[in-house]
Amino acid sequence: MYVTKIFGADVCRDGGSYSLSFESSDSEWYEFFVQVKGVESNEYFEPVIYKNGFDSGELVEQLNWSNAGKFLASLKYDNARFYELVTLVENRGST
């Protein structure tokens, strides 16, 4: 998947899940999503990518921590939440 545009990175109001929204070379938008295991938890499920976002439920890819790290490393985005997301993935879903 080739990212052509990043819309944003943020922490969700569900208790701490991380989201990275982007457009791919197919002109569709996707969400790289790392879901927190519980409210105020310090542990996360492995990352996934959804077409049209988490709420669509259209799962495109289930990633492991290593593949997720490679995906994020291929991106250039100067944003504090993005850097937090990269660190979270590098720590294999533990803060």
Side-chain angles (χ1 to χ4, degrees):
M1 181 172 290
Y2 181 74
V3 176
T4 57
K5 182 177 181 180
I6 296 175
F7 297 117
D10 210 349
V11 175
C12 302
R13 297 183 336 168
D14 67 350
S17 296
Y18 277 82
S19 170
L20 174 71
S21 298
F22 62 93
E23 182 178 84
S24 184
S25 56
D26 63 1
S27 298
E28 297 286 346
W29 82 273
Y30 295 87
E31 184 175 24
F32 177 96
F33 192 74
V34 184
Q35 187 173 9
V36 68
K37 288 189 174 181
V39 176
E40 297 185 29
S41 175
N42 293 329
E43 295 184 10
Y44 293 77
F45 294 103
E46 287 186 315
V48 294
I49 296 177
Y50 289 99
K51 184 176 180 181
N52 299 318
F54 172 80
D55 291 334
S56 77
E58 191 175 340
L59 181 65
V60 173
E61 189 171 359
Q62 175 85 41
L63 302 168
N64 61 37
W65 295 114
S66 178
N67 289 342
K70 290 175 187 173
F71 175 78
L72 294 177
S74 73
L75 305 177
K76 303 284 187 242
Y77 187 53
D78 189 17
N79 175 277
R81 292 295 190 200
F82 177 73
Y83 296 131
E84 290 173 14
L85 175 58
V86 169
T87 300
L88 176 67
V89 170
E90 287 174 349
N91 291 332
R92 305 181 67 76
S94 182
T95 58

